[in-house]
């Protein structure tokens, strides 16, 4: 099992390119199931989660092929299995996103329930509620969601909570439903907008994406399209947190600052100097950062996927930061690992109080989830001495070549096999 070895204490300098957004690419890949024509995608990141989704699409009979330079082509003209098995779904909860497209196009889908999640509950009941409102007959059988419908029919759906994958699943299903569907309390993330823009290129009729009310007028069929996945705002935010913690100056290419309002506001509050244009962000930090406080919230609020990285920043900041996690009930597992490195953090329920210390000290730590991994990398970059991060397969789910990009910025970081 691979590990990362980091020798900290130095600033970051240089320029890197941000990869395509994992959380946009995953539903976009599933949208290929809505048509028998070819979908040509660009800027798809090379990540473990993407590889898992491509295996799942191949399992159902889709021809999905990697192309050079981040390209992927999908052709779902010979789908012969309408089932997503537990063996594939258990490693990635986003697999539930095949449910809506399979049901809408083929009238049937059988998708394994995802099972446990390390950062908290992510119930699929809102997906089921919405598809049932569209006329699907849904049963839970032997650990599978089994859905059938001759043809889905448009409906007005209000989810009980804001759910990103729920909004994506229902939006994709509604594109081939008969009549109009209105999604109330819809998620507003840039990844939702990216998926909607692809669906519109494929012939869907969608309005209101990017707001909490999305209107979809169903069509009889969708066709192929070419689409470029948006940049990963979480990856960009992670590298900006890193330079805010270590000091230095970096430029991010292929970054979209318009998607990162809450993150950039908090980084500026921490003392990071920021400039940006249409597809780049330049950041510089002199001296020690200031502690920031934040409460996670659905977009356009402060992203839960940035909580751990800001906590790592606060560990070496001047002052005290208070972070409140409102989205997931078990997303503080990185705290004990940061404490092993000398961080001063107290947890009370959903609230973390982080008192900054001048330096962290290198230690052997263990990654517990994707964003926790990123926080430990930031911790290692600012720590005195050597930090070894175990179980970095979590990191590989969502960051493409992170150690390579950090080396481009001057970090002393290497991947080593678990046998070393």
């Amino acid at each position: 099992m691979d590990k990362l070895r980091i020798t900290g204490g130095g600033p970051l300098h240089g320029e890197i390119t941000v990869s395509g957004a994992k959380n946009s690419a995953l539903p976009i890949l599933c949208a290929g199931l809505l048509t028998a024509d070819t979908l040509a995608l660009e800027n798809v990141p090379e990540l473990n989660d993407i590889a898992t989704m491509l295996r799942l699409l191949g399992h159902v009979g889709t021809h999905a092929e990697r192309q050079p330079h981040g390209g992927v082509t999908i052709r779902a003209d010979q789908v012969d299995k309408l089932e997503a098995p537990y063996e594939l779904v258990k490693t990635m909860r986003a697999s539930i996103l095949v449910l809506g497209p399979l049901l809408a196009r083929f009238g049937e889908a059988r998708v394994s329930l995802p099972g446990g999640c390390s950062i908290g509950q992510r119930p699929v009941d809102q997906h089921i509620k919405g598809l049932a409102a569209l006329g699907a007959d849904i049963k839970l059988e032997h650990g599978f969601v089994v859905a059938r419908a001759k043809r889905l029919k448009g409906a007005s759906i209000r989810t009980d909570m804001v759910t990103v994958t729920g909004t994506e699943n229902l939006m994709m299903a509604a594109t081939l439903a008969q009549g109009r569907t209105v999604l109330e309390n819809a998620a507003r993330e840039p990844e939702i907008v990216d998926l909607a823009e692809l669906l519109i290129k494929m012939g869907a009729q969608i309005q209101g994406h990017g707001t909490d009310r999305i209107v979809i007028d169903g069509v009889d069929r969708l066709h192929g399209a070419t689409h470029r996945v948006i940049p990963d705002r979480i990856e960009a935010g992670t590298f900006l947190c890193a330079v805010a913690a270590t000091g230095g100056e970096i430029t991010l290419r292929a970054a979209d600052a318009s998607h990162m309002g809450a993150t950039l506001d908090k980084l500026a509050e921490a003392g990071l100097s920021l400039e940006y244009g249409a597809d780049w962000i330049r950041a510089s930090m002199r001296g020690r950062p200031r502690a920031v406080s934040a409460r996670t919230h659905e977009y356009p609020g402060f992203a839960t996927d940035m909580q751990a990285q800001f906590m790592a920043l606060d560990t070496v900041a001047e002052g005290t930061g208070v972070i409140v996690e409102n989205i997931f009930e078990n997303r503080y597992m990185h705290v004990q690992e940061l404490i092993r490195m000398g961080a001063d953090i107290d947890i009370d329920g959903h609230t973390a109080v982080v008192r900054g210390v001048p330096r962290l000290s290198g230690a052997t730590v263990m990654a517990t989830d994707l964003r926790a991994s990123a926080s430990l990398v930031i911790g290692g970059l600012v720590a005195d001495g050597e930090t070894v991060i175990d179980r970095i397969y979590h990191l590989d789910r969502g960051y493409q070549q992170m150690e390579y990009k950090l080396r481009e910025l001057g970090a002393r970081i290497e991947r080593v096999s678990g046998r070393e």
Side-chain angles (χ1 to χ4, degrees):
M1 190 179 295
D2 287 356
K3 303 177 183 182
L4 284 181
R5 180 183 292 145
I6 305 170
T7 302
L12 299 178
H13 290 279
E15 179 179 307
I16 57 172
T17 299
V18 176
S19 302
K22 177 193 80 135
N23 290 337
S24 192
L26 289 171
I28 280 174
L29 289 169
C30 293
L33 293 168
L34 291 165
T35 178
D37 297 342
T38 299
L39 213 58
L41 304 175
E42 302 169 357
N43 204 34
V44 179
E46 295 186 19
L47 304 169
N48 286 354
D49 275 7
I50 298 297
T52 300
M53 184 62 79
L54 291 175
R55 285 198 301 273
L56 176 54
L57 293 174
H59 171 82
V60 303
T62 300
H63 182 73
E65 187 175 1
R66 270 276 183 193
Q67 304 294 332
H69 311 299
V72 172
T73 55
I74 300 171
R75 189 172 181 90
D77 58 342
Q78 296 181 11
V79 172
D80 55 2
K81 290 181 185 174
L82 304 178
E83 177 178 303
Y86 179 68
E87 290 69 29
L88 288 170
V89 175
K90 70 178 180 180
T91 61
M92 185 184 65
R93 295 184 63 90
S95 303
I96 194 69
L97 288 167
V98 302
L99 179 61
L102 285 176
L103 177 63
R105 182 168 162 220
F106 299 101
E108 184 178 343
R110 180 179 165 88
V111 179
S112 172
L113 287 168
C117 176
S118 62
I119 62 174
Q121 296 181 13
R122 298 190 186 183
V124 299
D125 60 326
Q126 299 304 301
H127 303 241
I128 293 171
K129 170 186 172 181
L131 292 172
L134 293 173
D137 175 43
I138 300 182
K139 294 182 174 63
L140 299 181
E141 298 177 354
H142 308 293
F144 283 82
V145 178
V146 181
R148 296 181 177 87
K150 200 167 190 178
R151 184 177 182 187
L152 297 175
K153 292 181 169 54
S156 181
I157 302 168
R158 173 179 285 274
T159 54
D160 298 337
M161 63 188 76
V162 177
T163 162
V164 175
T165 55
T167 299
E168 291 164 344
N169 231 342
L170 297 175
M171 184 166 63
M172 286 190 284
T175 60
L176 294 178
Q178 186 176 25
R180 171 168 287 190
T181 297
V182 179
L183 301 180
E184 304 276 7
N185 201 27
R188 301 164 58 186
E189 273 75 359
E191 295 79 13
I192 299 284
V193 176
D194 200 26
L195 173 61
E197 291 297 325
L198 164 70
L199 293 170
I200 290 168
K201 290 178 183 177
M202 295 169 67
Q205 297 183 16
I206 303 174
Q207 303 173 65
H209 43 297
T211 76
D212 61 2
R213 184 177 188 272
I214 303 176
V215 179
I216 307 107
D217 289 302
V219 297
D220 291 333
R221 66 178 298 274
L222 297 178
H223 51 72
T226 298
H227 185 77
R228 184 173 181 83
V229 174
I230 61 172
D232 194 319
R233 60 193 172 99
I234 305 301
E235 180 187 304
T238 299
F239 283 110
L240 293 175
C241 279
V243 74
T246 65
E249 180 173 326
I250 67 171
T251 298
L252 303 181
R253 297 294 178 190
D256 192 335
S258 70
H259 295 163
M260 300 175 62
T263 294
L264 296 181
D265 287 348
K266 287 297 175 184
L267 285 165
E269 191 179 318
L272 188 67
S273 177
L274 291 160
E275 301 174 74
Y276 41 84
D279 61 353
W280 58 272
I281 300 173
R282 186 172 297 116
S284 62
M285 173 63 87
R286 301 288 180 267
R288 200 171 158 197
R290 297 187 293 270
V292 295
S293 296
R295 303 173 67 91
T296 65
H297 203 272
E298 293 88 358
Y299 190 86
F302 181 80
T304 182
D305 278 353
M306 286 303 306
Q307 175 256 106
Q309 299 91 310
F310 270 86
M311 188 178 293
L313 171 60
D314 274 350
T315 63
V316 294
E318 292 182 348
T320 298
V322 178
I323 295 176
V324 181
E325 175 56 62
N326 292 311
I327 307 299
F328 293 118
E329 71 278 7
N330 195 28
R331 205 163 196 179
Y332 283 148
M333 290 186 291
H334 48 283
V335 169
Q336 291 305 315
E337 303 304 301
L338 289 171
I339 289 173
R340 285 176 54 79
M341 301 175 72
D344 184 355
I345 306 171
D346 288 323
I347 300 293
D348 183 7
H350 295 282
T351 302
V353 178
V354 189
R355 289 172 285 271
V357 298
R359 303 289 295 180
L360 298 180
S361 58
T364 298
V365 292
M366 181 177 68
T368 52
D369 65 66
L370 170 54
R371 306 308 172 186
S373 308
S375 76
L376 299 180
V377 170
I378 294 170
L381 291 172
V382 297
D384 289 329
E386 183 177 278
T387 296
V388 176
I389 305 175
D390 202 357
R391 296 175 65 181
I392 61 166
Y393 58 84
H394 290 294
L395 193 75
D396 294 336
R397 288 184 48 229
Y399 291 93
Q400 180 176 324
Q401 297 182 315
M402 185 183 227
E403 71 274 17
Y404 172 80
K405 291 182 180 181
L406 284 170
R407 281 200 301 271
E408 289 286 293
L409 298 176
R412 290 174 289 176
I413 179 173
E414 62 178 339
R415 181 179 293 250
V416 297
S417 82
R419 294 185 296 275
E420 291 189 25

